[in-house]
Amino acid sequence: MKYDFDQVIDRSANRAAKYDERIKKFGTSDVIPLWVADMDFPTAQPIIDAMKRRAEEGIWGYTSRPDSYFDAICGWQQRRNGWTIDRNLVSWSLGVVPALSALVKLFSQPGDKVMIQTPVYSEFYDVVEAWDRVVLENRLVEQDGQWTIDFDDFEKKAREVKIFLLCSPHNPLGIVWTREQLGKMVDICIANQVLLVSDEIHSDLVFHGKKHLPTAMVSDAAARNIISCISGTKTFNLAGLQASTTVFPSLEMKERYDRFWMNMDIHRNNAFSSVAMETAFNEGEEWLEQLLTYLEGNFEYVRSFCEDHIPQIRVNVPDATYLMWLDCRDLGMDNETLRDFMIHKAGLGLNEGYTFGRSLTGYMRLNAACPRSILRQAMTRLKEAVDALHTDS
């Protein structure tokens, strides 16, 4: 079927955090919300239909997880990425972030150091520091809008850390790491006995002819040493259903992880997430392919608009995710002034760049997963606000 991603859905009455939490986040509801990383698109029709059937049953008691659930996940990874997953090494998880948090707790001790590559999803800080571990930043290096890994720094810090949290593909920079880059990071971690945990939640949202390579597929050694966190929740806009999958290199690690959740009596999908996830992986591909094309068009719209009308803001067009990294340094504002400008002058609710890297100044993250008409409103507001800066001066 043909999907209409231009349709504007009013989410202000459906308990959407992106909308309901604007006052909490920005101090006002008068902003176009382009922050929380979910999409303003209905999901694939087969998923909606399956959820309706489940809702109409009217009995939503404790829910089993049939073999077909993991069959769907493993089948998807095989078809999309050529990754053959050992079913015996797979665990259900509440979500990728809860999985990351549990892994940090289970496989390190208070005071241990954990490496992250900044700028990166801000919860990477949170899941480390929540357990009294210490963040070490391997800061990505930017030159002319391109971001690369400082491997000298990476190798130096790998000698100090217990765990490395990899974001692949990268949020917020939209980088699809190459086999060479992944292989080098894997080899350094193995040589230094560092546990590599790979967050691959955005792995289905890849553009411009790029191809995601699961980190565990880099080499035989990688498969024996890496924990992978995967999910279809970003792919199919199902984050509110809270389900992900963790793939382990050994039964001992899996059993230790499973025991942690069992001790809290957390071991079942809710009554709807198992149905949604299984249907998504079995029947959602047609929707996804149309979504990817639409998102590429959104990226190009924002890029060309800023290039033509707001050259002071340089746009990083992502090769993965639906998140755009805006370099606003030419506006000459500190972080607090830039935040205030975006909220009160431009009327936009964006993510502040410094939350992704605490040493950064002058960046913002924009969620482009919305109807293009919304982006037109946002870009028009932004242009008018930037133009007014010159008028005011």
Side-chain angles (χ1 to χ4, degrees):
M1 64 179 292
K2 179 71 172 67
Y3 289 95
D4 181 11
F5 296 101
D6 284 320
Q7 180 185 12
V8 177
I9 306 293
D10 181 5
R11 297 183 66 195
S12 62
N14 79 343
R15 305 188 184 186
K18 181 186 289 184
Y19 289 78
D20 289 357
E21 296 178 10
R22 282 178 290 183
I23 292 177
K24 177 181 176 181
K25 169 71 173 174
F26 304 108
T28 176
S29 60
D30 189 22
V31 293
I32 298 174
L34 302 172
W35 59 301
V36 172
D38 65 15
M39 296 186 270
D40 289 337
F41 307 127
T43 191
Q45 193 60 46
I47 303 172
I48 296 171
D49 293 340
M51 295 285 274
K52 284 180 178 178
R53 290 191 296 270
R54 185 70 179 96
E56 288 169 356
E57 290 170 8
I59 301 174
W60 310 312
Y62 295 118
T63 302
S64 68
R65 190 181 306 113
D67 289 343
S68 57
Y69 178 85
F70 286 124
D71 287 343
I73 294 166
C74 294
W76 178 266
Q77 288 296 328
Q78 182 66 55
R79 293 195 309 276
R80 300 290 293 191
N81 299 315
W83 185 15
T84 302
I85 297 175
D86 184 345
R87 279 280 306 277
N88 295 316
L89 298 175
V90 172
S91 291
W92 171 81
S93 307
L94 276 170
V96 167
V97 173
L100 295 174
S101 182
L103 294 168
V104 169
K105 175 177 174 58
L106 290 170
F107 297 105
S108 65
Q109 298 296 321
D112 282 345
K113 297 174 182 177
V114 176
M115 181 163 59
I116 66 175
Q117 292 177 309
T118 55
V120 74
Y121 184 49
S122 59
E123 274 77 354
F124 274 35
Y125 286 103
D126 298 340
V127 301
V128 174
E129 295 172 341
W131 301 115
D132 297 319
R133 278 58 166 172
V134 178
V135 169
L136 277 192
E137 295 183 24
N138 171 232
R139 296 176 184 171
L140 299 174
V141 179
E142 185 267 337
Q143 185 172 7
D144 297 326
Q146 300 297 312
W147 295 78
T148 58
I149 300 168
D150 182 343
F151 273 109
D152 289 338
D153 182 71
F154 185 95
E155 190 161 15
K156 175 184 175 183
K157 286 175 178 167
R159 301 187 192 111
E160 304 178 51
V161 303
K162 190 75 171 180
I163 297 173
F164 166 47
L165 299 181
L166 171 65
C167 194
S168 179
H170 190 275
N171 169 15
L173 300 178
I175 299 169
V176 178
W177 302 113
T178 65
R179 179 180 290 273
E180 180 183 12
Q181 290 169 321
L182 289 171
K184 194 167 183 178
M185 288 187 283
V186 167
D187 289 345
I188 292 171
C189 286
I190 291 174
N192 289 279
Q193 298 183 305
V194 174
L195 174 62
L196 195 160
V197 177
S198 187
D199 169 3
E200 304 188 12
I201 196 170
H202 290 281
S203 60
D204 298 315
L205 299 165
V206 176
F207 311 92
H208 310 126
K210 300 284 185 173
K211 178 71 175 174
H212 171 72
L213 175 64
T215 311
M217 286 184 63
V218 167
S219 64
D220 291 340
R224 294 192 300 269
N225 288 276
I226 287 165
I227 299 175
S228 303
C229 299
I230 58 177
S231 178
T233 54
K234 294 295 184 193
T235 309
F236 295 102
N237 207 26
L238 304 174
L241 293 177
Q242 297 182 312
S244 72
T245 303
T246 308
V247 185
F248 291 90
S250 72
L251 281 174
E252 186 277 329
M253 297 179 86
K254 170 181 160 54
E255 289 166 357
R256 188 173 172 186
Y257 178 87
D258 290 345
R259 191 161 53 248
F260 171 79
W261 292 111
M262 288 293 290
N263 287 344
M264 293 187 289
D265 199 34
I266 298 173
H267 55 96
R268 298 183 190 275
N269 289 77
N270 68 54
F272 293 91
S273 69
S274 61
V275 172
M277 299 305 298
E278 188 172 332
T279 306
F281 289 128
N282 286 334
E283 303 179 51
E285 208 151 5
E286 179 183 49
W287 178 88
L288 175 59
E289 293 305 323
Q290 294 180 42
L291 169 75
L292 295 176
T293 299
Y294 190 86
L295 289 175
E296 281 196 9
N298 277 1
F299 299 155
E300 176 56 25
Y301 172 76
V302 174
R303 183 205 63 77
S304 62
F305 188 97
C306 287
E307 189 174 277
D308 294 342
H309 303 290
I310 324 174
Q312 301 92 329
I313 296 177
R314 293 188 293 276
V315 177
N316 177 65
V317 176
D319 286 327
T321 83
Y322 43 73
L323 306 163
M324 306 190 76
W325 190 241
L326 308 182
D327 182 348
C328 307
R329 290 176 293 177
D330 284 353
L331 296 178
M333 300 177 184
D334 61 31
N335 285 328
E336 199 55 42
T337 305
L338 180 60
R339 168 185 158 82
D340 183 78
F341 171 80
M342 288 297 179
I343 296 170
H344 299 292
K345 304 298 183 182
L348 301 182
L350 309 180
N351 292 101
E352 302 88 351
Y354 62 81
T355 65
F356 300 89
R358 292 170 180 171
S359 63
L360 293 175
T361 300
Y363 295 93
M364 303 294 287
R365 190 190 77 172
L366 179 148
N367 179 349
C370 61
R372 201 157 300 148
S373 61
I374 303 299
L375 286 180
R376 290 193 188 98
Q377 293 177 40
M379 290 300 100
T380 299
R381 286 189 182 190
L382 185 54
K383 176 185 182 302
E384 291 172 352
V386 171
D387 289 347
L389 290 174
H390 303 295
T391 303
D392 293 342
S393 62

